[in-house]
Amino acid sequence: MKPSLQRGDRIVLEREHFQNLLDALNKKGYQIIGPTLGEGSIIYGKLSCVSDLPIGWTDEQEGGMYHLKKRGDNALFGYTVGPHSWKNFLFPSVQQLLQAKREGKGFQVNRKREEIPKFAFLGARSCDIYAITIQDKVFIKGKFVDPHYASRRGDTFIVAVNCGKAGGTCFCVSMGTGPRADLGFDIAMTEVLKSDRHYFLVELGTERGAEIFQEIPYKNASEEERATANTVVENTAKHMGRYMNTDHIKDLLYRNYEHPRWNDVAERCLACANCTMVCPTCFCTTVEDTGDVPGGHAERWRKLDSCFNLDHSYIHGGSTRYSIRSRYRQWMIHKIATWIDQFGTTGCVGCGRCITWCPVAIDITEEARAIRKSEQAAE
Amino acid sequence: MGIKRKPKLAVWKFASCDGCQLTVLDCEDELLTLTDHIELAYFLEASSAVKRGPYDISIAEGSVTTQQDVERIHKIRKASKLLIGAGACASSGGIQALRNFTNVKDFVSAVYPSPEYIKTLDTSTPFSQHVPVDYELQGCPINKHQLLDAISSFLHGRKPNSTSYSVCIECKRRGNVCVMVAHGIPCMGPVTRAGCNALCPTYNRGCYSCYGPKETPNTASLSTWFRRLGMKEDDIVRIFRTYYSNAEPFRKESKLHEKDEK
Ligand code: SF4
Ligand code: SF4
Ligand code: SF4
Ligand code: SF4
């Protein structure tokens, strides 16, 4: 029997034992979700063995552009975040809320209990863990609890990966959300690739994280191994693809509701809503009722919606945000200003998805910069 | 369910390919249930038995391309409590609205051996340009889900679930990877109304805009991006003139990319 591991311990997992981690999670009854190749990008899906990971692949990301490329090594996590986020699993974009059956003069409501697996998220990046923390605050930590989110979130096991490379549109350093995972994980790993060795420096974040390693070969981390892993993450932090100056950002935006830059971005913005759909913190939904022709059966569905849709601001008499200008402004000011008043942090974790997946490359960091610069120029 | 007798439904055809009427027939299983609740009073594609109006619901496909069409749509409007236009033709003029961009006489003489027998209007136009239309189903062709939803909402007095937002919404809800961002394939999704559940992007094709313009479509910005993806002006004209060429935002955008031939 090995000496028992504890929360906070740092250990080393060799690459050849990585499969043991997946096996241990499987054995505990988790459904492992993690990065895998699909549709020409790195998406999240079910994993059962190491070879399901995008081994040796990386992504190149820029505004409105995403490409896969071979790395020239066998890294397991040599890329950043793709089009999917954990939101796809914790807050599915289409969910049935209830079914109703007509009975006499009334109706019988039926809530289908979904079989929800116990998730283990493998390879969660720091920005995305912050995003989960934000959605937790919205859905389960407030006055009202969303039962659907709550049951999926349950006790998700989180295996974080500290980024060994920043993507072209990443800016977690600006938002204080990465690239090193510092909260919300059960275990956090840094991948170290050397010419003669491939290993993971593992930090145990919880008791159950420590427990998982009881059955996996590991050794305690040496000073040198820790230092090497640190250098990897520090290096990532120095190479962020994007930067946003968040100094008094709330006041900056509150002062600039009528800034001409909103007209400029409105000329480019398609109001297509891709940015909000991929954003790991955006949570707006719409509710749709459907019924069959005989009128005996009705269903209520909840679907991911967006403030970029005209109907989203529809009230009696029409939509309050008719222009694209007002919709983009609503989105950006909510993300990085009013969110602070509402939930205590910004709603942006700097993952860069909205920049990469905007079909016309609109960049939230650039829009913020343009507004700040014009004020500085005026001074 | 205020109505005691079975409501009478009529299905009408104007200038069209019949695809939208076929969607009604495509309801197969639901069609039998439908006839338990609705009387098919006029539907030549399904039955030659015809009942006189007035009708509770008229579903009309096709566009107005002849003087007789103009008169007929007025008569149908008068005979119908609810008039539903079905498809791209009914709501914008359809593919045949390509004639609106040229001189229709050139087509007539090129296509028909005896052009003197052909009497047609210079334009193909939607019903709404001639009579008030209560509801429009979009798509080329429409799909059976929206059709059944419209009929059941009418029967039970609820709001139909029409969408006005982009195809991107449905595309992302399905978890698709964007073909434009990941593969550089031009996609009309960002300016197109949802309704097809992002059929083409799901199979790695760009959207062709079978459902026409979304609300407030920013066609100019998308064209600029299409050019960056390597599309020629001619291709941009064509992509905006496929199914909804006569819808105002697409008509205008396509005109901007037309080479001045005069
Ligand atoms: S934003 Fe930071 S934490 Fe997120 S993927 Fe990029 S480098 Fe990693
Ligand atoms: S606003 Fe953009 S960068 Fe910020 S969390 Fe959302 S998708 Fe990521
Ligand atoms: S910012 Fe980009 S992704 Fe977002 S709605 Fe506008 S065009 Fe679409
Ligand atoms: S593939 Fe087309 S429809 Fe789908 S998100 Fe991209 S632009 Fe929108």
Side-chain angles (χ1 to χ4, degrees), chain A residues 265 268-276 308 324 328 331 354 357-362:
Chain A
V265 69
R268 288 171 280 133
C269 176
L270 305 164
C272 64
N274 273 302
C275 47
T276 60
F308 279 97
I324 295 183
Y328 186 86
W331 175 70
C354 57
W357 299 98
C358 171
V360 292
I362 291 171

Side-chain angles (χ1 to χ4, degrees), chain A residues 217-282:
Chain A
Y218 70 88
K219 66 179 193 56
N220 292 326
S222 69
E223 271 313 314
E224 197 202 324
E225 284 159 340
R226 286 183 191 214
T228 312
N230 267 338
T231 321
V232 170
V233 193
E234 274 161 21
N235 193 41
T236 305
K238 280 189 212 133
H239 292 93
M240 285 287 125
R242 292 288 196 276
Y243 163 75
M244 181 149 79
N245 178 355
T246 56
D247 191 28
H248 294 99
I249 189 121
K250 191 177 93 175
D251 304 321
L252 174 76
L253 292 175
Y254 282 3
R255 279 196 302 275
N256 284 292
Y257 278 121
E258 298 303 333
H259 198 280
R261 184 71 186 190
W262 303 120
N263 297 333
D264 183 276
V265 69
E267 266 177 33
R268 288 171 280 133
C269 176
L270 305 164
C272 64
N274 273 302
C275 47
T276 60
M277 301 301 274
V278 294
C279 178
T281 69
C282 275

Side-chain angles (χ1 to χ4, degrees), chain B:
Chain B
M1 309 191 86
I3 306 165
K4 296 268 157 47
R5 64 170 172 83
K6 277 203 246 173
K8 276 158 85 179
L9 175 78
V11 181
W12 309 96
K13 175 187 160 61
F14 285 75
S16 63
C17 73
D18 280 29
C20 292
Q21 289 194 66
L22 282 176
T23 306
V24 183
L25 289 176
D26 186 36
C27 290
E28 291 175 357
D29 304 342
E30 293 91 343
L31 206 55
L32 289 176
T33 334
L34 203 64
T35 50
D36 286 344
H37 299 269
I38 274 189
E39 180 183 358
L40 283 182
Y42 186 101
F43 186 11
L44 291 183
E45 191 136 325
S47 156
S48 50
V50 247
K51 300 240 166 58
R52 293 169 61 96
Y55 306 100
D56 295 288
I57 316 178
S58 274
I59 297 176
E61 71 159 24
S63 67
V64 175
T65 58
T66 63
Q67 189 50 40
Q68 289 93 312
D69 285 346
V70 178
E71 286 150 25
R72 208 152 59 90
I73 193 64
H74 276 97
K75 278 192 197 144
I76 292 171
R77 173 70 274 188
K78 273 198 197 118
S80 316
K81 274 195 197 151
L82 195 79
L83 174 60
I84 301 178
C89 303
S91 58
S92 77
I95 297 176
Q96 59 275 24
L98 281 173
R99 69 163 68 170
N100 302 7
F101 297 90
T102 60
N103 189 343
V104 75
K105 297 205 178 64
D106 299 343
F107 284 143
V108 173
S109 50
V111 173
Y112 296 98
S114 317
E116 62 277 16
Y117 293 126
I118 304 295
K119 254 198 197 146
T120 183
L121 296 173
D122 290 342
T123 53
S124 167
T125 46
F127 297 139
S128 57
Q129 215 154 304
H130 305 272
V131 296
V133 177
D134 299 299
Y135 191 61
E136 283 178 338
L137 293 167
Q138 305 293 343
C140 186
I142 58 166
N143 70 56
K144 73 173 196 182
H145 305 289
Q146 48 175 181
L147 177 69
L148 289 168
D149 178 65
I151 294 177
S152 75
S153 349
F154 164 75
L155 286 176
H156 306 295
R158 69 169 170 83
K159 187 168 96 35
N161 288 311
S162 63
T163 50
S164 59
Y165 48 68
S166 68
V167 172
C168 301
I169 291 265
E170 290 183 326
C171 193
K172 283 285 188 289
R173 279 183 190 152
R174 287 187 79 151
N176 291 346
V177 174
C178 178
V179 300
M180 196 138 66
V181 171
H183 310 300
I185 300 171
C187 179
M188 285 286 275
V191 294
T192 300
R193 179 192 287 258
C196 63
N197 207 11
L199 187 60
C200 294
T202 305
Y203 293 96
N204 265 312
R205 308 293 300 260
C207 163
Y208 297 92
S209 203
C210 310
Y211 282 66
K214 74 183 268 286
E215 41 88 355
T216 57
N218 190 344
T219 52
S221 171
L222 189 62
S223 293
T224 307
W225 203 260
F226 281 168
R227 236 182 266 126
R228 289 175 66 162
L229 293 178
M231 271 178 94
K232 301 272 177 322
E233 291 300 278
D234 281 355
D235 301 330
I236 298 180
V237 173
R238 222 168 286 132
I239 206 169
F240 281 102
R241 282 191 197 161
T242 307
Y243 301 105
Y244 274 80
S245 63
N246 192 48
E248 193 53 12
F250 287 5
R251 198 187 62 78
K252 263 171 119 177
E253 188 62 33
S254 74
K255 282 241 159 216
L256 291 174
H257 302 272
E258 219 169 19
K259 276 194 216 86
D260 211 351
E261 277 155 14
K262 278 159 245 153

